[in-house]
Amino acid sequence: MPAPSDDARTAVLELLDRRSDRATICPSEVARAIASKAGADPTEQDWRAVMPVVHAAIDQMVDDGLIELNWKGKSMPSRSGLDRIGRAHRED
Protein backbone atom coordinates (compact mmCIF):
# COMPACT_ATOMS: atom_id res chain seq x y z
CA MET A 1 0.00 0.00 0.00
CA PRO A 2 1.47 3.39 -0.99
CA ALA A 3 2.27 5.96 1.68
CA PRO A 4 -0.08 8.96 1.85
CA SER A 5 2.70 11.21 0.54
CA ASP A 6 3.08 8.91 -2.48
CA ASP A 7 -0.68 9.20 -3.09
CA ALA A 8 -0.39 12.99 -2.96
CA ARG A 9 2.59 13.04 -5.30
CA THR A 10 0.82 10.75 -7.76
CA ALA A 11 -2.36 12.84 -7.57
CA VAL A 12 -0.43 16.06 -8.31
CA LEU A 13 1.23 14.52 -11.37
CA GLU A 14 -2.00 12.93 -12.63
CA LEU A 15 -3.96 16.16 -12.28
CA LEU A 16 -1.24 18.13 -14.08
CA ASP A 17 -1.10 15.53 -16.86
CA ARG A 18 -4.80 16.20 -17.55
CA ARG A 19 -4.16 19.93 -18.07
CA SER A 20 -2.40 21.98 -20.69
CA ASP A 21 1.34 22.55 -20.29
CA ARG A 22 1.08 25.90 -18.49
CA ALA A 23 -2.08 25.13 -16.51
CA THR A 24 -2.03 25.00 -12.73
CA ILE A 25 -3.97 23.13 -10.06
CA CYS A 26 -5.03 23.99 -6.54
CA PRO A 27 -3.74 21.96 -3.58
CA SER A 28 -7.35 21.34 -2.55
CA GLU A 29 -7.91 19.56 -5.89
CA VAL A 30 -5.17 17.13 -4.90
CA ALA A 31 -6.72 16.56 -1.47
CA ARG A 32 -10.16 16.01 -3.00
CA ALA A 33 -8.74 13.47 -5.46
CA ILE A 34 -7.06 11.53 -2.65
CA ALA A 35 -10.16 11.64 -0.45
CA SER A 36 -12.31 10.48 -3.34
CA LYS A 37 -10.01 7.51 -4.04
CA ALA A 38 -10.25 6.58 -0.35
CA GLY A 39 -14.03 6.50 -0.64
CA ALA A 40 -14.78 9.84 1.00
CA ASP A 41 -17.30 12.22 -0.49
CA PRO A 42 -15.12 14.93 -2.11
CA THR A 43 -17.98 17.42 -1.81
CA GLU A 44 -17.85 17.13 1.97
CA GLN A 45 -15.09 18.43 4.23
CA ASP A 46 -13.31 15.04 4.47
CA TRP A 47 -10.64 16.20 2.05
CA ARG A 48 -9.42 18.86 4.49
CA ALA A 49 -7.92 16.14 6.71
CA VAL A 50 -5.61 15.21 3.81
CA MET A 51 -4.19 18.73 3.38
CA PRO A 52 -1.15 18.28 5.69
CA VAL A 53 -0.05 15.28 3.60
CA VAL A 54 -0.65 17.24 0.39
CA HIS A 55 1.37 20.19 1.69
CA ALA A 56 4.27 17.92 2.67
CA ALA A 57 4.27 16.28 -0.76
CA ILE A 58 4.14 19.67 -2.49
CA ASP A 59 7.08 20.94 -0.43
CA GLN A 60 9.13 17.87 -1.39
CA MET A 61 8.17 18.12 -5.05
CA VAL A 62 9.22 21.79 -5.12
CA ASP A 63 12.55 20.84 -3.50
CA ASP A 64 12.97 18.09 -6.13
CA GLY A 65 12.31 20.58 -8.93
CA LEU A 66 9.26 18.68 -10.21
CA ILE A 67 6.73 21.47 -9.72
CA GLU A 68 6.61 25.22 -9.28
CA LEU A 69 4.30 27.30 -7.14
CA ASN A 70 2.75 30.58 -8.15
CA TRP A 71 -0.04 32.92 -7.26
CA LYS A 72 -1.64 35.22 -9.80
CA GLY A 73 1.20 34.58 -12.23
CA LYS A 74 3.96 35.41 -9.75
CA SER A 75 6.42 32.61 -9.00
CA MET A 76 6.77 31.59 -5.36
CA PRO A 77 9.90 29.87 -4.00
CA SER A 78 7.90 27.98 -1.36
CA ARG A 79 4.36 27.38 -0.18
CA SER A 80 2.88 30.40 1.53
CA GLY A 81 -0.85 30.53 2.02
CA LEU A 82 -2.60 30.72 -1.32
CA ASP A 83 -0.79 29.05 -4.16
CA ARG A 84 -1.21 27.20 -7.42
CA ILE A 85 0.80 24.19 -8.53
CA GLY A 86 2.29 23.96 -12.01
CA ARG A 87 4.87 21.95 -13.85
CA ALA A 88 8.45 23.06 -13.41
CA HIS A 89 9.63 24.86 -16.54
CA ARG A 90 13.35 25.17 -16.74
CA GLU A 91 14.98 27.63 -19.06
CA ASP A 92 17.72 25.95 -21.08
Side-chain angles (χ1 to χ4, degrees):
M1 172 179 257
S5 60
D6 292 339
D7 289 343
R9 184 181 176 108
T10 298
V12 167
L13 296 174
E14 286 176 353
L15 287 166
L16 287 172
D17 282 346
R18 295 181 196 150
R19 307 282 169 84
S20 66
D21 188 46
R22 294 282 179 185
T24 60
I25 59 173
C26 180
S28 66
E29 290 178 73
V30 179
R32 285 183 174 97
I34 294 168
S36 179
K37 282 184 180 180
D41 182 348
T43 62
E44 296 296 325
Q45 298 296 312
D46 298 341
W47 60 269
R48 290 185 185 276
V50 182
M51 287 304 293
V53 171
V54 171
H55 288 151
I58 289 168
D59 293 344
Q60 186 60 55
M61 293 176 78
V62 168
D63 288 347
D64 292 345
L66 297 173
I67 60 172
E68 294 176 347
L69 301 176
N70 66 66
W71 182 246
K72 295 186 177 184
K74 184 177 177 187
S75 181
M76 299 169 53
S78 63
R79 202 172 36 79
S80 174
L82 298 174
D83 54 55
R84 301 285 296 177
I85 305 165
R87 289 175 190 80
H89 292 97
R90 296 194 172 109
E91 302 295 326
D92 293 326

